[in-house]
Amino acid sequence: MWKFFHKLASPPHFYDLANKIIPWFIVPAILLITYGTIAGLFFAPMDYQQKDAFRIIYIHVPAAYISMMAYMTMAISAGIGLIWRMKLAHAVAAACAPIGAWFTFLALITGSIWGRPMWGTWWEWGDPRLTSELILLFLYFGYLALRAAIDDTSKADRSSAVLALVGAINIPIIHFSVEWWSSLHQGPTIVREGGPAMPMEMLLPLLAMILGFTFFFGAVLLRRLRTEVLYRERRTGWVKRMIQPAGGEA
Amino acid sequence: MPASLRGEKLCLFRGERCLFQGLDFQVNSGELLLVEGANGSGKTSLLRAIAGLILFEDGTIYWNDTDVEKDRQGFLRSMAWLAHRVGFKGDLSLAENLRFEMSLRSVDGSETQKVLQRLGIERLTELPLRALSAGQQRRSALARLLLVKARLWIMDEPFANLDRAGRELVLELISEHLDEGGLCMLAAHQEIEMNNVMHRLML
Amino acid sequence: MPASLRGEKLCLFRGERCLFQGLDFQVNSGELLLVEGANGSGKTSLLRAIAGLILFEDGTIYWNDTDVEKDRQGFLRSMAWLAHRVGFKGDLSLAENLRFEMSLRSVDGSETQKVLQRLGIERLTELPLRALSAGQQRRSALARLLLVKARLWIMDEPFANLDRAGRELVLELISEHLDEGGLCMLAAHQEIEMNNVMHRLML
Amino acid sequence: MPYSDSASPSLGKAFIALVRRDLLLAWKRPGDVLNPLFFFAMVATLFPLAVGPSVEQLALSGPGVLWVAALLAALLSLNSLFLTDYEDGSLDQLLLSPQPVVLLTLAKTTTHWLISGLPLVLVSPLIAVTFQMPGHAVGILMITLLLGTISLSLLGSIGAALTVGLNRGNALLSLLILPLAMPVLIFGARTVSLAAANDTVAAGIYFLGAYSAMAMVFAPFAAAAALKISNE
Amino acid sequence: MPYSDSASPSLGKAFIALVRRDLLLAWKRPGDVLNPLFFFAMVATLFPLAVGPSVEQLALSGPGVLWVAALLAALLSLNSLFLTDYEDGSLDQLLLSPQPVVLLTLAKTTTHWLISGLPLVLVSPLIAVTFQMPGHAVGILMITLLLGTISLSLLGSIGAALTVGLNRGNALLSLLILPLAMPVLIFGARTVSLAAANDTVAAGIYFLGAYSAMAMVFAPFAAAAALKISNE
Amino acid sequence: MLAVGLAALGILVATALTLSAFQENMMFYVEISDVKAGKVPNNRNFRVGGLVKTGSVHREEGEIELSFVLTDTANELTVVYDGVLPDLFREGQGIIAHGRMGSDGNFMADTVLAKHDENYMPPEVAGSLAKQQAANSAATTEETDPATEETTE
Ligand code: HEM
Ligand SMILES: Nc1ncnc2c1ncn2[C@@H]1O[C@H](COP(=O)(O)OP(=O)(O)OP(=O)(O)O)[C@@H](O)[C@H]1O
Ligand SMILES: Nc1ncnc2c1ncn2[C@@H]1O[C@H](COP(=O)(O)OP(=O)(O)OP(=O)(O)O)[C@@H](O)[C@H]1O
Ligand SMILES: [Mg+2]
Ligand SMILES: [Mg+2]
C-alpha cells in the first residue's frame, strides 16, 4: 500500500499515469455535460414560478459546488504536503487554485444573473451565502497572490499551504450559512431532510451536470498538474531526456 | 560528558543548484571543524541547514547520536549561533539587548560585565546598537555567544569587520571554549592557527 | 592630467562623540591612502563624509584643489563608491543591475564581459542578485567599480567576505588602477602589500 | 562547565522577556503607537469630507466608517510585526532560541495588540463623538473593537508571518488577511449600528468573542509555521 | 585612460534608465502592481459590508468611498517608493551618481504613478459599477482619479522621502501626506458626486489639474532635499 | 499538555459563544411576531421576511404605491411600497422587505426582494397541487410540501 503511494508520488510515474487517466475523465465529462445541457435546457419542465429562468440552475449549482470542492481539495492536499512533505500534493494544491477561482467566479456571476429576475437584485450585501462565497473568491486570490510573490517553489508551496488551511474554515460557513441565518439565498434543494425538493425530470439533468462538472474539474486538474510537475522537474534528468529527442545531445 | 555533532549523507539544494551531496562530517568535544571553500561554495548554507533554518534535501544531523529532528528543542539549547547579521535590535542599547537574550534563554547574567570587558565594549552598553561601528557590532554578537554558554558554537565568518586585536581575541575565545570541552563549527576565509584539534571540511 | 584629493582641518562628530578633529590628508594620482584604526575609530564615517553622505562638522575637502561643495556633481563624476552594502537590487539579475548602473552614468558597457570574467562571476549574470553568496555579491560590487571607470575609488573594507583568491584579485585591481593614474582611498583591517605609493592614515 | 543546556528554560520568562523587549522598542519609537491612532482619526475624518456633510448620513454610516478605519489602522501596523526582526537577523536568533516558536509568535502578537489594538479601543470614544454616536452605543463600540482588534492582531500575525521578507509592503498582507477579517468587520459594524438604534447586540458580541477565541487557539500555530517557512 | 568623468552624463538617459529599472522590478514582482488594485477593490467592498445593505445609501456615498479607497491604495504603495533602495544600499549609490537628485526622485515618482496610479484609474470603472454609478459619472471619476493620483504620487514622494529609514511602516507616511492630500480627496469626491447628480464639474477638474501642476513643479525638489537628509 | 488544555478551553469557549449567538435574534432581520410585539428598531431600516398573504395585494387607482399584507401564518403586517416589484412577486410568495416602521404601524418598504424557497416543480403539478390544497385546506392547517408529495407519487 505504502509502496504504491510512493510510486504514485514519483513525478515521472505520475506524469505518465496522469496522461493515461485523463481520457477517463474527459469522456464522462463530455457525455454527462452534453446530456445535462440538452435535458436541462430542452426537456426538463419549467418551474411553476420562475418559468425558464430557473434553467440557470444547471450551471450555477455545479459551479458553486465545484468552487467549494476545489478549495477542499486544495486545502487537504496542502495539508498532506505540509505534514508528509509530499511535493506532488503541493503541486495538486497549486493546480487547484486557479480552477477553483474560476468556478467561484462562475458561481458568483451565474448567481448574480439569476438573482436579478428572481430576487429583484444583482447582489445583496447582507446575505451570508453571497458574502461568504465572495470571501472564497478573495481567499483564492490571496492564495494565488502569495504564490506569485514567492520565487522559491518549495517555500511558496509551504507558505501557501498554511494559508490554504487557515482559509478552509470558510467552507462550512458557506455551506451552512443558509441554515444558520435566514436570508435571501434559498436553502438546500438536493440534499435535505425528506429528499430533494425537485421532480426527477429536473433533478436528473442537474445531478448529471454536477457529476459532469466534477469529471471536468478532474480532467483540468490533471492537465494542469502535468504541466506543473513538468515545470517543477524541469532540471531533472527525466524531463530533459523527454524533451530532447534520443541522442539529440550535442 | 563528551558531546558530538555528526552529519550523514547530507545533500542541499539552493534554487536549482545542488551545493553538495553525500556529505559526511563529525565534530566531537574539544574539536574545531573549519568549513572552507571559495565564495559561493555553500558554507553559509550548510551552517544554516545544520541549525535548522533551511531544510536539507536529504541526510540527517545527529547531536549526541540522536537525530536532531527528534529533539530540536534540546539541540537548540546546546547551540549558539553567530552569523553575518548581528541579530540585535538597533534601537535598543547593548545592555538591553543582552538582558533580553538572557531572559529568553533563562541564563543568569552575572558574568556580563566580565565578558564585555574582555571584548572591549564595556563602555558602549548605553548607546543604541545602531550607532556602533561594524566591528563593535560584531563584538556585541560575540558577547551573546559567550553569555549563552552553549556547548556547540556555530560561527559564520566571525572575523569579518574585526580589527587585528579582535581577530586574535576570537581565536583565543574559541580555544578556551574547546579546552572546556565545547565544540565549534566555523566557516571562514582566514587561515587559523590553534593548538586544539582542528578538522577541515572543504566544500 | 594628475588629480588629487585633499582634506583640511576635518572634524567629524557622530552622536555626541568627536571622532577626529583637525585631520588633514592628501592623495594624489597613483597613490593609495590606507585608512586604519581599531573598530569604531571612525573609518566608515570618514569615508561617508568625504563622499558627501554625511556632513563634516568642520573642514573642507578639495578635489583637484577645488572645494567639492562648489562642484559636487563634478566630484561625483570622478568618484566610485564601494561600501559594506552592495547597493544592487536583489530581485534583478547581475546583468540587469549592471546595465542600469551604466546607463545611469552614461558609460558604455563594452567591457562588461571581460570584467565579469576577471572577477569570476561571468556565470552568475542571470541569477537574481539575492541568490548570490556573500562573497559573490561583493564581487558584483567590484564589477560596478571597474565598469564605472572613475578616477577616485573609495572603498570600505573591500576584502570582507572574499576568499583568498578574491582578496588577491582586489589588490591586483587596485594596483592596476593606481598604475593608470587613479587614486584610491581604502579602509581595511588587513595588512596590504603593494608596490605602489601608499600612505597611511591612522584614526 | 555550567553549560546552559542542563537547565530547562522557562516558558513564562521567555514570553515576558519578548513582550518587554517589544514594549521597550515601542517606547523608544513612540511613533509606532501614535501613528495608527492618528491614522484612525484621519480616516474617520476623511469620510465625512469625501461623502459630504449631511448629519443624518454621518450618523447612519458612522459605525461602519469607524470600523473600517479601525480595521485599516490595525492592518497598517501589522506589516512591521515580524519584518524588523527578519531584517536585522534577530528572527534567526529567536527561531534558534530553545523556545517553542508558537510562544514567540504569541508574545509578539500580544505586544502588537497592546501597542496598536488597545490604544485604538481607548481612543475610539473621542472619534465616535464626532460622528454623533449616542452614549450607550459608544460603550458597545469599545467592546466590539476590543474583541475585534484581538482577532485582527491574531489573524494579522498569520499574514505578517506569511509575507515577511517578500518586500511587498502592506498590500499583499492586506490581501491575505482581509477575507478573514471581513466577518469581524461585518459583525462589529452591525452590532454598533444596532446599539445606536437601541436594538439587541448580544448576538454580535457573542460572535466576536467566539471568533477571537478561535483565533487565539489556531492563529499562533499557523503564524509559527508560516514564520519558520518564511525565514528560510 | 578613458575615465568617465570627461563625458558629461546624459540626463534623459539616466531618467529613462531609472524608470526602466523600476518597471523591470515591478515586472519581476507583479504583486506590486496587482496588490494596490486588489486592495482598492477590497476597500470598496468593505464599505457596503460595514455600512449596511441599503442601495440608496450606497449610491449616495459611492463617489466618496471610491475616492477614499483610491487614496488609501495609493498611500499603501508609497511606503516602498524609496525604502527598498534605502535598505539594500542602492540609495547610497543613486545619491552618489553624478545626476541631480531631483531627476532621480522625479523618475521614481513617475514609475510609482505608472505602476500604482494608472492601473487604479483604469480599473475604477469596474468598481464604480458595483456602486451603481451612472455612466457619465464614471467618465468623470476616471478623469478626477487620473489627475488626483498624479498629485498623490508626487505628494507621496515627499512623504516617502521624509520617512525612509524610520522603519515606521505606512502610518507616519500617511500621517504626513494626508493633510496635503485632503484637498485632492475633497474635490475629487465632490466632483464625482456632482457628475452623478448631473451637475457641472468643470471647476473641480480645473482645481485638480492646477493642484497636480503645482505638485509637479515643487514636489520633486522637496523630495530630493528630504531624501538627502533621510539617508544620512 | 498545557497547550492542549488551553486549546481545548479556547475551542470550548468559542463553541459556547457561537451557540449563544444563535440563540439571539438575527441581526437586521426581524420576525413579524416581534414587529407585532413592538420589538422593532424605531429610527432605523431593518428587514422583515414572510409570505405575501393571498388576496391582500392592493393598489389605489392611478397610483404606483401599493400595499400588501405580510404573514408568517400566525401574525400579519401591512407593507406599503412604491417601487419596482421583482418579477417573481406574487401572492403566496416569500419576500424580504427593507424599510422602516411608519407612524401608522405599517411597514414602509424601500426595497422588496422576492425570496424563492427550495421547491422546484413544473407548473401543472403546482396547479393541481394548489387545487388539491385549496380543497383540503379546511381539513388540515399544516402546510404540505408539494415537491415531496410529487416525487412519492
Ligand atoms: C450572487 C448570487 C449567488 C451566490 C454567490 C450563490 C452561491 C451559492 C453557493 C456557494 C451554493 C453551494 C452551496 C453548497 O453546496 O453548500 C449555491 C447553491 C445553490 N444556489 Fe446559489 N448563489 C447565488 C444566487 C442564487 C440564486 C439567485 C438562486 C435561485 C433562487 C440560487 C439557487 C441555488 C440553488 C438551487 C443551489 C443548490 C442548493 C442545494 O445545495 O441543493 N442561487 N449557491
Ligand atoms: N549615530 C551615531 N550616534 C552615536 N555614535 C555613533 C553614531 N554613528 C557612529 N557612531 C560612533 O562612531 C564611531 C565610528 O564609527 P565608524 O562606523 O565610523 O567606525 P569604523 O572605524 O568604521 O569601525 P569598524 O572598523 O568597526 O567598521 C563608533 O564608535 C560609533 O559608536
Ligand atoms: N535562493 C537561492 N537560489 C539560487 N541559488 C542560491 C540561493 N541561495 C544561495 N544560492 C547559491 O548557493 C551558493 C552557496 O551560497 P552560500 O551563501 O552558502 O555560499 P558561501 O559558501 O557562504 O559563500 P561566501 O563565502 O561568499 O559567503 C551560491 O553559489 C549561491 O549563488
Ligand atoms: Mg557565506
Ligand atoms: Mg566601518
Side-chain angles (χ1 to χ4, degrees):
Chain A
M1 187 63 188
W2 182 243
K3 222 173 150 187
F4 168 75
F5 271 121
H6 220 72
K7 194 165 172 215
L8 180 70
S10 109
H13 184 257
F14 174 82
Y15 187 79
D16 286 338
L17 187 72
N19 205 21
K20 286 190 203 115
I21 34 179
I22 284 180
W24 293 95
F25 281 82
I26 293 218
V27 173
I30 293 177
L31 291 179
L32 285 164
I33 291 178
T34 315
Y35 160 73
T37 314
I38 295 175
L41 286 190
F42 303 111
F43 296 110
M46 61 186 190
D47 181 55
Y48 74 115
Q49 285 191 318
Q50 304 190 30
K51 307 289 177 266
D52 281 331
F54 102 99
R55 297 188 196 278
I56 202 166
I57 200 174
Y58 295 109
I59 300 191
H60 172 71
V61 175
Y65 160 71
I66 300 287
S67 73
M68 295 161 72
M69 197 196 63
Y71 196 96
M72 285 317 285
T73 316
M74 180 173 102
I76 290 171
S77 32
I80 292 175
L82 205 56
I83 295 169
W84 287 293
R85 294 204 189 148
M86 215 168 113
K87 284 184 185 159
L88 186 63
H90 282 307
V92 172
C96 273
I99 316 177
W102 278 115
F103 277 102
T104 312
F105 184 66
L106 190 62
L108 284 164
I109 289 291
T110 52
S112 176
I113 292 175
W114 196 2
R116 182 64 229 184
M118 269 294 307
W119 298 332
T121 179
W122 298 101
W123 187 258
E124 165 72 10
W125 275 114
D127 188 280
R129 167 67 59 88
L130 309 200
T131 310
S132 54
E133 182 76 358
L134 186 65
I135 288 178
L136 183 68
L137 184 69
F138 287 156
L139 283 171
Y140 277 123
F141 282 166
Y143 181 90
L144 289 169
L146 183 62
R147 284 202 77 95
I150 306 177
D151 305 321
D152 182 61
T153 317
S154 133
K155 204 168 144 183
D157 280 344
R158 285 170 293 139
S159 278
S160 55
V162 174
L163 187 68
L165 286 173
V166 170
I169 184 159
N170 188 39
I171 297 296
I173 293 180
I174 299 180
H175 183 69
F176 292 112
S177 54
V178 285
E179 289 167 31
W180 291 341
W181 294 281
S182 60
S183 183
L184 207 52
H185 195 281
Q186 63 157 78
T189 292
I190 307 172
V191 185
R192 64 194 279 277
E193 277 177 58
M198 189 181 256
M200 262 313 168
E201 311 94 283
M202 288 178 173
L203 185 61
L204 271 184
L206 182 56
L207 293 179
M209 285 302 267
I210 293 180
L211 207 62
F213 267 55
T214 312
F215 276 111
F216 177 70
F217 168 71
V220 179
L221 180 63
L222 284 170
R223 281 218 75 115
R224 289 199 74 97
L225 205 49
R226 267 167 60 91
T227 342
E228 183 81 36
V229 167
L230 210 58
Y231 176 74
R232 284 162 182 250
E233 302 272 311
R234 63 194 179 279
R235 299 291 152 88
T236 58
W238 70 272
V239 175
K240 282 188 180 148
R241 273 194 300 280
M242 191 176 69
I243 292 170
Q244 267 160 5
E249 190 99 12
Chain B
M1 187 195 64
S4 77
L5 179 74
R6 196 169 85 241
E8 270 181 16
K9 303 214 190 65
L10 302 176
C11 167
L12 186 62
F13 272 75
R14 294 308 280 156
E16 308 294 305
R17 228 185 95 199
C18 172
L19 293 180
F20 45 77
Q21 228 173 351
L23 182 85
D24 297 320
F25 73 86
Q26 169 142 17
V27 215
N28 300 313
S29 275
E31 295 179 357
L32 168 74
L33 180 65
L34 179 64
V35 184
E36 289 175 307
N39 286 140
S41 52
K43 304 177 292 299
T44 301
S45 307
L46 172 65
L47 297 185
R48 285 181 75 82
I50 292 176
L53 290 173
I54 54 180
L55 296 180
F56 282 113
E57 189 75 13
D58 203 5
T60 324
I61 302 285
Y62 298 92
W63 172 244
N64 294 333
D65 296 315
T66 7
D67 185 346
V68 292
E69 290 300 323
K70 299 236 169 70
D71 182 19
R72 180 156 296 283
Q73 219 78 275
F75 175 56
L76 290 179
R77 267 207 293 283
S78 318
M79 193 196 81
W81 172 253
L82 180 114
H84 287 292
R85 292 178 306 170
V86 185
F88 279 138
K89 303 310 287 182
D91 289 322
L92 298 187
S93 70
L94 178 55
E96 287 161 339
N97 270 306
L98 288 177
R99 204 173 308 133
F100 163 67
E101 294 290 338
M102 288 181 300
S103 17
L104 185 67
R105 291 184 169 75
S106 304
V107 175
D108 80 310
S110 53
E111 293 173 25
T112 314
Q113 200 49 32
K114 219 175 67 195
V115 165
L116 292 181
Q117 255 158 20
R118 178 119 196 239
L119 291 166
I121 46 174
E122 75 278 12
R123 292 168 166 263
L124 302 169
T125 47
E126 296 313 320
L127 269 183
L129 211 85
R130 162 186 326 289
L132 301 192
S133 80
Q136 290 166 341
Q137 294 196 10
R138 295 206 67 81
R139 284 165 193 258
S140 317
L142 284 167
R144 168 171 48 205
L145 194 80
L146 294 177
L147 288 171
V148 160
K149 294 216 202 69
R151 194 182 267 267
L152 169 65
W153 287 2
I154 300 193
M155 308 167 96
D156 193 6
E157 305 202 25
F159 306 110
N161 302 321
L162 288 182
D163 55 17
R164 173 188 300 275
R167 290 196 297 272
E168 268 155 25
L169 180 62
V170 172
L171 283 179
E172 236 176 84
L173 291 172
I174 294 177
S175 179
E176 283 171 21
H177 176 62
L178 298 181
D179 288 343
E180 287 176 2
L183 299 76
C184 182
M185 202 161 167
L186 185 153
H189 294 297
Q190 262 84 359
E191 250 326 296
I192 287 187
E193 309 222 340
M194 251 190 328
N195 297 328
N196 301 71
V197 186
M198 179 166 94
H199 305 289
R200 280 160 195 272
L201 182 64
M202 193 72 197
L203 287 186
Chain C
M1 186 195 65
S4 76
L5 179 74
R6 197 170 81 241
E8 270 181 16
K9 302 214 191 65
L10 303 175
C11 167
L12 186 62
F13 272 75
R14 296 304 280 153
E16 307 294 296
R17 226 185 97 198
C18 171
L19 293 180
F20 45 78
Q21 227 173 352
L23 182 83
D24 298 320
F25 73 86
Q26 168 142 18
V27 216
N28 300 311
S29 274
E31 295 178 359
L32 168 73
L33 180 65
L34 179 65
V35 184
E36 288 176 306
N39 287 140
S41 52
K43 302 177 293 299
T44 302
S45 307
L46 173 63
L47 297 186
R48 284 181 75 81
I50 291 175
L53 290 172
I54 54 180
L55 296 179
F56 282 114
E57 189 74 15
D58 202 5
T60 323
I61 302 285
Y62 296 94
W63 172 243
N64 293 334
D65 297 316
T66 6
D67 185 344
V68 292
E69 289 301 324
K70 298 235 172 71
D71 180 20
R72 181 157 296 281
Q73 219 76 278
F75 176 56
L76 290 179
R77 266 207 293 285
S78 319
M79 191 196 82
W81 171 254
L82 181 115
H84 288 292
R85 291 177 307 169
V86 187
F88 279 138
K89 304 311 287 183
D91 289 323
L92 298 187
S93 70
L94 179 53
E96 288 161 340
N97 271 306
L98 287 178
R99 204 172 309 133
F100 163 67
E101 293 290 340
M102 287 180 300
S103 18
L104 186 68
R105 290 184 170 76
S106 304
V107 174
D108 81 309
S110 53
E111 293 173 25
T112 315
Q113 201 48 31
K114 220 174 68 195
V115 165
L116 293 182
Q117 254 159 21
R118 178 118 200 240
L119 291 167
I121 47 175
E122 74 278 12
R123 294 170 163 263
L124 302 170
T125 48
E126 296 313 318
L127 270 183
L129 211 87
R130 163 188 324 290
L132 302 190
S133 81
Q136 290 166 340
Q137 294 196 10
R138 294 205 68 80
R139 283 164 192 258
S140 315
L142 284 167
R144 170 172 45 207
L145 194 79
L146 293 178
L147 287 172
V148 160
K149 294 218 203 66
R151 193 182 269 267
L152 170 65
W153 286 3
I154 301 194
M155 308 167 95
D156 193 6
E157 304 203 26
F159 307 108
N161 301 320
L162 288 181
D163 55 16
R164 173 187 299 276
R167 291 196 297 270
E168 268 155 25
L169 180 62
V170 173
L171 283 180
E172 238 175 83
L173 291 173
I174 294 177
S175 179
E176 285 170 21
H177 176 64
L178 299 181
D179 288 342
E180 289 176 1
L183 298 77
C184 182
M185 202 160 168
L186 186 153
H189 294 298
Q190 262 82 1
E191 250 326 298
I192 286 187
E193 308 220 342
M194 251 191 325
N195 296 328
N196 301 71
V197 185
M198 180 167 92
H199 306 289
R200 281 161 195 273
L201 182 64
M202 194 73 197
L203 286 186
Chain D
M1 265 189 323
Y3 283 121
S4 61
D5 54 359
S6 43
S8 169
S10 137
L11 289 187
K13 221 173 145 190
F15 182 89
I16 292 170
L18 195 48
V19 171
R20 262 196 54 207
R21 186 198 72 167
D22 283 1
L23 287 179
L24 196 61
L25 274 171
W27 175 253
K28 299 230 164 168
R29 308 181 148 275
D32 287 348
V33 186
L34 291 176
N35 292 339
L37 286 184
F38 277 123
F39 182 82
F40 184 46
M42 286 228 168
V43 175
T45 42
L46 283 184
F47 278 93
L49 283 178
V51 171
S54 140
V55 176
E56 189 192 344
Q57 184 136 350
L58 265 190
L60 259 176
S61 49
V65 170
L66 277 178
W67 251 94
V68 172
L71 172 61
L72 291 174
L75 277 180
L76 284 190
S77 57
L78 271 172
N79 194 25
S80 54
L81 184 51
F82 300 112
L83 190 62
T84 50
D85 282 350
Y86 172 78
E87 281 175 346
D88 62 17
S90 43
L91 188 55
D92 277 355
Q93 292 288 351
L94 285 177
L95 290 179
L96 292 179
S97 81
Q99 303 289 354
V101 182
V102 50
L103 184 91
L104 306 178
T105 54
L106 191 61
K108 288 204 72 84
T109 316
T110 308
T111 327
H112 176 261
W113 182 76
L114 287 176
I115 292 174
S116 78
L118 189 58
L120 223 66
V121 176
L122 296 178
V123 90
S124 59
L126 286 180
I127 293 164
V129 172
T130 69
F131 279 83
Q132 266 130 356
M133 199 179 280
H136 61 281
V138 174
I140 300 295
L141 175 72
M142 288 183 76
I143 294 175
T144 57
L145 277 179
L146 186 82
L147 293 171
T149 48
I150 292 177
S151 305
L152 290 180
S153 284
L154 285 162
L155 290 176
S157 73
I158 307 177
L162 283 170
T163 54
V164 76
L166 295 183
N167 240 332
R168 295 300 168 89
N170 261 307
L172 180 61
L173 169 58
S174 313
L175 188 63
L176 299 183
I177 289 311
L178 276 182
L180 294 171
M182 269 188 192
V184 179
L185 175 76
I186 298 174
F187 279 87
R190 291 279 163 91
T191 308
V192 180
S193 303
L194 289 174
N198 282 318
D199 210 332
T200 161
V201 294
I205 290 178
Y206 287 148
F207 176 84
L208 289 173
Y211 206 86
S212 41
M214 284 294 278
M216 231 176 275
V217 174
F218 292 111
F221 289 94
L227 200 55
K228 275 192 244 169
I229 297 165
S230 292
N231 189 49
E232 244 188 37
Chain E
M1 265 189 324
Y3 283 121
S4 61
D5 54 358
S6 43
S8 167
S10 136
L11 289 187
K13 222 171 145 190
F15 183 88
I16 293 171
L18 194 47
V19 171
R20 263 196 54 207
R21 185 199 72 167
D22 282 1
L23 286 180
L24 194 63
L25 274 171
W27 174 254
K28 300 233 165 168
R29 311 184 148 270
D32 287 349
V33 185
L34 290 177
N35 290 340
L37 287 185
F38 276 124
F39 182 83
F40 184 45
M42 287 218 168
V43 173
T45 44
L46 286 182
F47 278 92
L49 279 179
V51 169
S54 146
V55 176
E56 187 193 344
Q57 190 150 335
L58 268 189
L60 256 176
S61 48
V65 170
L66 277 177
W67 251 94
V68 172
L71 172 62
L72 292 174
L75 279 181
L76 283 189
S77 58
L78 272 172
N79 194 24
S80 54
L81 185 52
F82 300 112
L83 190 62
T84 52
D85 282 349
Y86 173 77
E87 281 175 348
D88 62 18
S90 43
L91 189 55
D92 277 356
Q93 292 288 351
L94 285 178
L95 290 178
L96 293 179
S97 81
Q99 303 290 354
V101 181
V102 51
L103 183 90
L104 305 177
T105 53
L106 190 59
K108 288 201 74 83
T109 316
T110 309
T111 328
H112 176 262
W113 182 75
L114 287 176
I115 293 174
S116 78
L118 188 57
L120 222 68
V121 177
L122 296 179
V123 91
S124 59
L126 284 180
I127 293 163
V129 171
T130 69
F131 278 85
Q132 266 130 358
M133 199 179 279
H136 61 280
V138 174
I140 301 296
L141 175 72
M142 288 184 75
I143 294 176
T144 56
L145 276 180
L146 186 82
L147 294 171
T149 49
I150 292 178
S151 307
L152 290 180
S153 284
L154 285 162
L155 292 175
S157 72
I158 308 177
L162 282 170
T163 55
V164 75
L166 295 184
N167 243 333
R168 297 297 168 88
N170 261 305
L172 180 60
L173 169 59
S174 313
L175 191 63
L176 295 179
I177 289 311
L178 277 181
L180 291 172
M182 270 191 192
V184 179
L185 174 77
I186 297 174
F187 277 85
R190 290 283 160 86
T191 308
V192 181
S193 298
L194 288 175
N198 281 318
D199 212 334
T200 163
V201 294
I205 291 181
Y206 289 151
F207 174 83
L208 289 174
Y211 205 87
S212 43
M214 284 294 278
M216 230 175 279
V217 173
F218 293 111
F221 290 94
L227 201 54
K228 274 192 246 172
I229 297 166
S230 293
N231 189 49
E232 240 188 40
Chain F
M1 211 53 237
L2 180 73
V4 175
L6 284 176
L9 184 74
I11 292 174
L12 221 70
V13 170
T15 325
L17 284 171
T18 314
L19 290 179
S20 330
F22 286 122
Q23 297 295 306
E24 295 293 329
N25 202 354
M26 216 10 258
M27 338 187 61
F28 270 132
Y29 182 88
V30 184
E31 308 282 340
I32 299 180
S33 53
D34 286 341
V35 177
K36 283 286 129 182
K39 284 191 276 182
V40 288
N42 30 25
N43 49 24
R44 182 175 57 77
N45 287 10
F46 61 96
R47 307 193 294 180
V48 286
L51 300 172
V52 180
K53 191 179 175 196
T54 316
S56 72
V57 181
H58 171 77
R59 176 175 278 165
E60 291 292 328
E61 198 70 32
E63 288 195 23
I64 39 163
E65 192 175 88
L66 93 171
S67 71
F68 55 88
V69 174
L70 205 58
T71 170
D72 62 356
T73 67
N75 301 287
E76 294 188 342
L77 173 70
T78 307
V79 177
V80 180
Y81 180 57
D82 64 355
V84 188
L85 286 172
D87 294 351
L88 247 125
F89 179 88
R90 53 179 65 97
E91 298 181 343
Q93 171 70 38
I95 61 124
I96 288 180
H98 288 257
R100 58 175 71 195
M101 290 311 289
S103 47
D104 52 358
N106 289 343
F107 186 78
M108 318 297 288
D110 45 48
T111 329
V112 170
L113 298 177
K115 182 168 156 54
H116 187 263
D117 60 19
E118 60 271 25
N119 297 316
Y120 290 81
M121 64 186 114
E124 317 84 78
V125 182
S128 65
L129 251 149
K131 261 182 246 148
Q132 189 186 337
Q133 218 167 334
N136 48 16
S137 60
T140 105
T141 47
E142 205 182 323
E143 229 192 300
T144 40
D145 188 344
T148 39
E149 213 165 273
E150 205 276 333
T151 43
T152 48
E153 262 175 21

